[in-house]
Amino acid sequence: MNTTEFESAADRVVIIGGGPGGYEAALVAAQLGADVMLIEANRCGGAAVVTDVVPSKSLIATAEMMDEISGSHALGIRIAGWESEPAEGGTVSADLKAVNSRIMKLADAQATHVYEALVRAGVKVIKGRATLAERDRVSVVEEGGTRYELQASTILLAVGAHPRELPSAQPDGERILSWTQLYDLEELPDHLIVVGSGVTGAEFASAYRALGAKVTLVSSRDKVLPGQDEDAADVLEFVFRNKGMNVLSRSRAQTVERTDTGVLVTLADGRRVEGSHCLMAVGSIPNTAELGLEAAGVRVGESGHIVVDGVSRTSRPGIYAAGDCTGVLPLASVAAMQGRIAMSHALGDAVQPLKLRNVASNVFTAPEIATVGFTQSDYRDNPTDIDTVMLPLDTNPRAKMLGIRDGFVKIFARRGSGSILGGVVVGPRASELILPITMAVENRLTVDQLSASFVVYPSVSGSLTEAARKLHRHL
């Protein structure tokens, strides 16, 4: 086994992990003139590209198309074999093997795109694993077995997270699955039981229902999507139930076992649910256990997440961290921003700390739920300081034309000044519609400024300016 040591460089940056936090940081560091080395054990893009965001949202895109086809009858569209409502029979179905084949090709293409972008930028990409040796040194084991140490002026940890597993519900990759194993399925599950009603569980439950599977969603909480806007969660749960999903609220899964024909989920109260497959969506664990953090003096929280400040610094000078391993917000956009901020700070460029209040997020269910800034709980805590309005989408003319019945636009504004503090959009493509509110929050626009902006008529985005007009106060 060969051993090589690279001597230190004045502005050498070593990045461990090639997900959004890592590769975005690498691109910024290279642009700022640093000598950049990125170590990734799998493919560039990390889990976000290979097993998480890109595959799941590709699956959801297919599910959205199925939903649109299913809803086309109400718009006057007739499909051969559908003499009445689609639920009574038809010819449209999902070929899951073909769907998953397309998904993995997209993920592979995106991983290749990320790698090529890094190489073009001058980043040296090393396939292997790395751990911290000292404050300014990283031990590397390449895929072929070559070992060496790298010395760096700046180290960024962007190692991500992996699905949490329960001892009483171990995934086997066939019937009991984590969300990274779904893409090996060649046939649509007859009955998918989803354990966990957070973002991941809700998204997959929504997608597989749209693809044609029977779905049972096991939620240990009072409603789906705990932590999200309550009005939005209520709409989503109504839609789930209205479309035939079995939602078991306040039901904690005790065990998940294989049977001769599928799976058996036993709940804490003794009830049993039988299905063909079970998806475990019960959170994630940061990949920090064997990273050498303690020896390097990098502080972690009780959950194993690396503790960072607003510019992604850890407790050890020269070492930064970004992404899901930090536990700040498990979003690819946040990971990327953390990585960019870290490199700008480390290499002396202009930088502003991460502002979580301005982060827009989206739940890719049907309907989608997009949020930014202040929340409903913030409003309850400050009812005399904040004005809010909620406008149902079924009043919007364009939404009526498209057959959109479920969803709303909500805006929070500072009473008196009218400054927009946040908002919620529930509906198809909410991830696109949230942008004007995000820009308003970021740039401290008022409801009057938003309402004075021209919008296309008819358009779903017209509900944003209409909601803003409702918050106008006569001076």
Side-chain angles (χ1 to χ4, degrees):
M1 186 178 296
N2 296 326
T3 301
T4 307
E5 181 171 323
F6 290 82
E7 296 300 323
S8 63
D11 279 328
R12 171 170 290 160
V13 173
V14 173
I15 298 171
I16 304 176
Y23 73 73
E24 288 283 353
L27 293 173
V28 169
Q31 185 180 27
L32 294 176
D35 173 23
V36 187
M37 297 184 177
L38 184 148
I39 303 110
E40 168 58 48
N42 192 0
R43 299 287 305 280
C44 288
V49 168
V50 180
T51 60
D52 194 352
V53 180
V54 170
S56 67
K57 276 45 178 182
S58 300
L59 177 75
I60 289 165
T62 301
E64 285 176 352
M65 185 63 67
M66 289 285 289
D67 246 356
E68 289 179 10
I69 294 171
S70 298
S72 63
H73 190 276
L75 301 182
I77 297 171
R78 300 295 180 261
I79 297 174
W82 285 4
E83 301 305 327
S84 184
E85 293 295 328
E88 296 181 10
T91 59
V92 179
S93 61
D95 180 346
L96 195 62
K97 183 177 180 179
V99 170
N100 283 339
S101 175
R102 172 180 177 270
I103 286 170
M104 297 321 292
K105 286 178 182 176
L106 286 172
D108 180 71
Q110 184 62 19
T112 299
H113 172 78
V114 173
Y115 171 78
E116 291 174 346
L118 290 167
V119 172
R120 283 196 303 270
V123 176
K124 181 175 181 181
V125 180
I126 301 168
K127 189 165 187 179
R129 297 186 178 276
T131 57
L132 295 175
E134 298 177 24
R135 187 205 66 78
D136 61 347
R137 301 178 77 84
V138 172
S139 295
V140 180
V141 181
E142 289 193 8
E143 185 181 43
T146 303
R147 297 174 178 270
Y148 51 85
E149 286 192 352
L150 295 174
Q151 191 166 7
S153 58
T154 302
I155 298 170
L156 175 72
L157 310 173
V159 293
H162 63 275
R164 180 171 171 248
E165 297 180 2
L166 302 179
S168 59
Q170 286 290 308
D172 58 18
E174 296 177 352
R175 294 285 183 174
I176 306 173
L177 307 159
S178 71
W179 65 78
T180 67
Q181 298 169 330
L182 286 169
Y183 311 106
D184 294 328
L185 294 178
E186 296 188 354
E187 294 183 356
L188 192 69
D190 292 327
H191 181 188
L192 178 66
I193 302 170
V194 179
V195 177
S197 63
V199 173
T200 301
E203 287 185 344
F204 280 115
S206 178
Y208 273 89
R209 184 216 56 78
L211 292 172
K214 178 182 178 182
V215 176
T216 294
L217 180 60
V218 179
S219 172
S220 62
R221 310 295 281 272
D222 291 340
K223 60 179 68 179
V224 300
L225 294 177
Q228 291 288 324
D229 181 87
E230 292 137 2
D231 293 323
D234 286 340
V235 169
L236 185 64
E237 186 163 332
F238 169 80
V239 172
F240 278 179
R241 294 182 187 277
N242 195 44
K243 291 185 175 181
M245 188 184 300
N246 183 23
V247 180
L248 301 179
S249 302
R250 298 180 295 279
S251 302
R252 186 176 297 278
Q254 194 76 29
T255 61
V256 181
E257 305 167 273
R258 284 282 298 262
T259 66
D260 292 339
T261 57
V263 295
L264 174 64
V265 178
T266 302
L267 305 181
D269 61 8
R271 287 177 296 163
R272 296 184 173 189
V273 185
E274 292 188 77
S276 62
H277 298 76
C278 179
L279 168 64
M280 299 300 298
V282 290
S284 60
I285 296 174
N287 298 323
T288 56
E290 299 178 0
L291 199 54
L293 298 175
E294 184 177 357
V298 176
R299 188 161 67 91
V300 298
E302 291 183 6
S303 62
H305 290 97
I306 300 170
V307 178
V308 294
D309 65 9
V311 292
S312 303
R313 289 178 297 191
T314 70
S315 57
R316 190 73 176 182
I319 300 179
Y320 294 74
D324 289 3
C325 65
T326 67
V328 173
L329 268 181
L331 299 172
S333 58
V334 172
M337 184 64 75
Q338 285 181 293
R340 290 192 290 263
I341 288 173
M343 290 303 100
S344 295
H345 183 269
L347 299 174
D349 199 15
V351 64
Q352 289 187 340
L354 181 67
K355 299 176 183 177
L356 293 180
R357 179 68 75 187
N358 297 356
V359 174
S361 64
N362 194 72
V363 184
F364 289 86
T365 47
E368 292 183 6
I369 298 172
T371 58
V372 66
F374 264 50
T375 65
Q376 190 69 29
S377 59
D378 291 324
Y379 171 70
R380 280 199 306 270
D381 293 340
N382 303 277
T384 60
D385 298 327
I386 302 172
D387 286 326
T388 185
V389 64
M390 187 168 76
L391 191 66
L393 284 185
D394 61 11
T395 64
N396 179 287
R398 179 66 170 166
K400 292 176 183 177
M401 297 170 194
L402 294 169
I404 298 171
R405 296 186 299 272
D406 303 301
F408 62 80
V409 169
K410 181 190 292 187
I411 294 178
F412 300 100
R414 179 78 65 191
R415 184 167 297 175
S417 69
S419 296
I420 296 174
L421 303 173
V424 183
V425 179
V426 179
R429 305 294 192 272
S431 51
E432 311 293 342
L433 285 171
I434 197 68
L435 180 60
I437 303 179
T438 302
M439 294 180 68
V441 172
E442 178 71 33
N443 294 287
R444 300 181 180 180
L445 301 183
T446 66
V447 291
D448 289 343
Q449 288 174 311
L450 178 59
S451 66
S453 302
F454 279 95
V455 293
V456 173
Y457 180 87
S459 67
V460 180
S461 60
S463 287
L464 299 177
T465 53
E466 184 179 350
R469 282 194 296 275
K470 289 181 178 295
L471 288 173
H472 170 75
R473 280 183 170 243
H474 181 65
L475 297 179

